[in-house]
Amino acid sequence: MRAITTNGLLALGLLAAMLLGCMLGPYPIPADEVLRALLARLQGEGYSPQIDTVLFQIRWPRVLSAALVGAALAAAGASFQTLFRNPLVSPDILGVSAGAGFGAVLGILLALPVIAIQGLGFATGLATVAIVYALARALRSQNEILVLVLAGIVVGALAGAGISLVKILADPYNQLPAITFWLLGSLSGIKASDVWNIAPAVVVGLLPLILLRWPIGVLSLGDDEARSLGVNVAFVRGVVIAAATLVTAAAVSASGVIGWVGLMIPHMARPLVGPRFDRLLPASILMGAAFLVLVDTLARTAARIEIPLGLLTALIGAPIFVWLLARGRRVWS
Amino acid sequence: MLETRHLAIGYSGKPVASGIDLAVGRGEVLCLLGPNGAGKTTLFKTLLGLIPVLDGSVAIDGKPVAGLSRRSLARAIGYVPQAQTMEFAYTVFDLVLMGRTAHLGPFAAPRAADRERASAALADLGILDLADREANRLSGGQRQLCLVARALAQDTPLLVMDEPTASLDLGNRFLVLDQVRALRDRGFGVIFSTHDPDQARDLATRVAVISNGGLAAYGAPDETLTASVLSTVYGVPIAIERTDSGRSVVTFARS
């Protein structure tokens, strides 16, 4: 019961964060006007040309993208931490961020259009994890998880080397700053149409995680125990890896590499709803979405220039994580 | 109702033991003894369908285990592993609730009926008061009982327990053994491994001694737990003494 109430409050928190994200900016819009404009939009009417332009061309797509990216990263983090029975795991454990990053910077180097850069990042992110998975299967070991993680580190490092190579080849005046900015993560380039590129992949990826929430939680007991309790371990693990990779690749290809969210949010959610995955997943999704909406609002309002998101999540994430660790072992409880 | 025929067990094609013929039915306790590394855990993993049968067969109610789905197998045979610390701080109740997994619909989480079943399993073992405690913070014996409760919530006629009394203090050992006896009397078929022949003599309907790549002895406790079998299997001189009250006690026969 407590978990349901908590998730209700977190949902309200997300809505409040999104409202705040719509209000704040160089051209502030009061809360009531945001709500009225949204209502008018829902009924297919215009509210005020100026507010409509700012709200629906710029802020709303950005707030929605931030919510989707935050939800995706936090859900992937919670899933991987449970699957790998390790609270220090983040969504890029299998190399998906490095892989997607390589594709995206390659796209920037080749001066491709934004949509193609995102598409290439998405494809290389998925391909990286496919290679990692195939490699781990080919190596066959008693300890499947260890081999999987090691394969992820190897292939991720290779993709990281590829990124470095692209940076050396890039034009230092135009391309290199764009690559660096992208690698630090940002939603500044998001347009209304981009939401429709991210949303389907995030929804398609989150759905199997939500449907399999119970067996995924049982997997955290270890393979043998999960099997003896009736879980088809190979199937569930395959689905989790595919789904979490899909949402992470979608997020990274749209927003660049944003660290900390996937690692930290599940740690913030566990003290509220406990370690049970069927409660942790919705809480992580809601908290991740609200967190990134707030951080992105800060990124575009705090200074005259856009602050890269990855920079802010690290600045906020590192102290919060240390604080969580200092609270003792209860961190992953 | 669980039966093995000419069973060979082992990992990736390399047999650890072979020619194993065992059976355990309702209301029976089969006790498994053997030196470290003889293959007790390997045998358990094979019975539970966690590793493939190398040769021969394992059947539950006449159906080969290899042909059963994970789900049907988990409704037929429950596993009580040795209690270990978990990475996540589940409550006792949540841990026991996971025993219901094989009874849930494909995309469902436990419902009210499952929660009642989990509470009933805890009440059965007299540990309902531990329900909201963190499982990692319990004593070894309480944690072991908690895993027994999970197996009860699983509603299987057969239970496999891997050294349920290892690393338990005396009090907890009696507590766990008492529950094994109670389960037997309630009609469960129980297979458990132990290093203590006296425990086996107390509880077992049948004893299987696994050693040197096969069964060294199999049958009633008095026929299997003899001084000669134990001395051969464990490689040290062992004598069996009878106390004034008529109990048999295994002792080291110093030469």
Side-chain angles (χ1 to χ4, degrees):
Chain A
M1 226 43 226
R2 195 175 70 105
I4 296 170
T5 321
T6 311
N7 279 334
L9 289 175
L10 289 176
L12 285 178
L14 172 59
L15 290 178
M18 290 176 80
L19 180 63
L20 199 68
C22 288
M23 288 161 60
L24 297 181
Y27 175 87
I29 309 172
D32 59 319
E33 296 216 52
V34 171
L35 293 176
R36 272 190 214 130
L38 282 172
L39 269 178
R41 182 80 164 192
L42 277 179
Q43 290 159 346
E45 295 160 20
Y47 177 66
S48 119
Q50 201 172 10
I51 288 179
D52 280 358
T53 308
V54 173
L55 199 57
F56 296 113
Q57 298 300 315
I58 303 164
R59 275 186 213 160
W60 181 243
R62 200 159 164 171
V63 164
L64 211 54
S65 307
L68 283 167
V69 169
L73 293 175
S79 304
F80 276 152
Q81 284 175 11
T82 305
L83 180 72
F84 291 121
R85 303 193 281 287
N86 187 336
L88 292 176
V89 158
S90 59
D92 41 18
I93 181 80
L94 297 179
V96 57
S97 293
F102 176 65
V105 297
L106 200 64
I108 297 173
L109 181 75
L110 299 174
L112 299 178
V114 175
I115 177 85
I117 292 173
Q118 286 184 8
L120 197 59
F122 188 62
T124 50
L126 293 184
T128 307
V129 175
I131 292 169
V132 167
Y133 201 65
L135 194 63
R137 291 208 77 134
L139 289 172
R140 263 187 240 194
S141 153
Q142 290 289 331
N143 196 337
E144 294 165 41
I145 285 183
L146 181 67
V147 173
L148 200 58
V149 171
L150 288 177
I153 291 173
V154 168
V155 179
L158 212 58
I163 292 176
S164 298
L165 181 69
V166 171
K167 280 166 104 173
I168 287 173
L169 295 176
D171 156 27
Y173 298 103
N174 294 314
Q175 290 175 332
L176 193 55
I179 288 174
T180 307
F181 196 68
W182 189 88
L183 285 175
L184 287 170
S186 172
L187 288 165
S188 59
I190 288 289
K191 289 185 294 294
S193 59
D194 290 330
V195 175
W196 296 108
N197 296 333
I198 315 169
V202 171
V203 171
V204 166
L206 287 184
L207 200 64
L209 295 177
I210 292 168
L211 288 176
L212 293 176
R213 65 204 179 283
W214 186 258
I216 292 171
V218 177
L219 264 190
S220 70
L221 296 176
D223 291 3
D224 280 350
E225 280 190 58
R227 280 194 191 107
S228 74
L229 291 171
V231 176
N232 186 339
V233 170
F235 170 74
V236 175
R237 179 153 57 211
V239 169
V240 173
I241 289 175
T245 299
L246 183 70
V247 295
T248 308
V252 172
S253 60
S255 67
V257 183
I258 300 172
W260 287 96
V261 179
L263 174 67
M264 185 183 62
I265 295 294
H267 282 272
M268 296 175 70
R270 275 188 206 100
L272 297 179
V273 295
R276 251 174 70 172
F277 188 72
D278 58 323
R279 293 172 182 160
L280 179 66
L281 181 68
S284 297
I285 289 174
L286 293 170
M287 285 177 80
F291 177 75
L292 208 61
V293 168
L294 290 177
V295 170
D296 184 57
T297 305
L298 191 67
R300 61 189 167 78
T301 54
R304 292 183 110 178
I305 55 155
E306 282 259 347
I307 308 169
L309 277 178
L311 220 67
L312 277 180
T313 54
L315 276 176
I316 299 167
I320 289 182
F321 201 69
V322 170
W323 175 70
L324 282 169
L325 286 174
R327 287 178 69 224
R329 224 187 50 79
R330 297 283 311 171
V331 173
W332 39 91
S333 62
Chain B
M1 87 190 89
L2 180 137
E3 208 175 4
T4 71
R5 289 227 173 113
H6 305 297
L7 178 67
I9 55 169
Y11 288 99
S12 23
K14 289 182 209 109
V16 173
S18 55
I20 301 169
D21 292 278
L22 300 171
V24 61
R26 281 182 175 273
E28 292 182 343
V29 173
L30 173 67
C31 202
L32 192 63
L33 276 93
N36 290 325
K40 296 190 293 293
T41 303
T42 314
L43 176 60
F44 280 172
K45 288 192 173 182
T46 312
L47 297 183
L48 290 159
L50 300 176
I51 55 175
V53 167
L54 293 188
D55 194 24
S57 67
V58 181
I60 294 177
D61 291 333
K63 280 175 260 170
V65 161
L68 293 173
S69 71
R70 270 288 150 237
R71 205 174 141 84
S72 346
L73 200 53
R75 288 167 166 218
I77 185 165
Y79 176 42
V80 182
Q82 286 186 44
Q84 279 166 347
T85 314
M86 292 168 296
E87 281 74 6
F88 298 105
Y90 293 117
T91 63
V92 167
F93 185 79
D94 287 345
L95 195 63
V96 173
L97 199 54
M98 291 191 193
R100 299 298 300 162
T101 304
H103 298 273
L104 302 176
F107 300 129
R111 294 157 191 269
D114 298 301
R115 287 193 288 274
E116 277 164 30
R117 187 69 197 83
S119 297
L122 284 167
D124 260 0
L125 299 182
I127 51 170
L128 188 56
D129 56 317
L130 299 180
D132 293 327
R133 296 269 295 278
E134 184 190 322
N136 278 342
R137 300 193 169 198
L138 301 179
S139 73
Q142 289 173 323
R143 214 151 56 205
Q144 196 67 57
L145 285 179
C146 167
L147 293 178
V148 175
R150 189 178 74 189
L152 288 184
Q154 204 172 332
D155 269 332
T156 59
L158 279 167
L159 294 173
V160 171
M161 302 183 173
D162 194 359
E163 295 189 22
T165 59
S167 75
L168 295 190
D169 64 36
L170 190 68
N172 281 315
R173 191 172 301 178
F174 282 134
L175 221 57
V176 169
L177 288 177
D178 195 46
Q179 285 306 332
V180 174
R181 189 175 290 117
L183 291 171
R184 179 193 66 191
D185 295 343
R186 283 165 58 186
F188 285 90
V190 180
I191 309 171
F192 84 101
S193 58
T194 177
H195 280 299
D196 184 350
D198 294 328
Q199 253 177 36
R201 201 188 307 275
D202 263 7
L203 280 173
T205 321
R206 267 190 299 280
V207 172
V209 184
I210 188 168
S211 165
N212 261 330
L215 282 189
Y218 175 62
D222 284 338
E223 300 159 16
T224 45
L225 299 170
T226 60
S228 73
V229 168
L230 293 175
S231 301
T232 314
V233 165
Y234 289 102
V236 291
I238 288 172
I240 295 183
E241 289 173 11
R242 218 165 259 279
T243 63
D244 294 340
S245 61
R247 278 174 57 101
S248 301
V249 177
V250 173
T251 58
F252 183 45
R254 246 177 239 97
S255 48

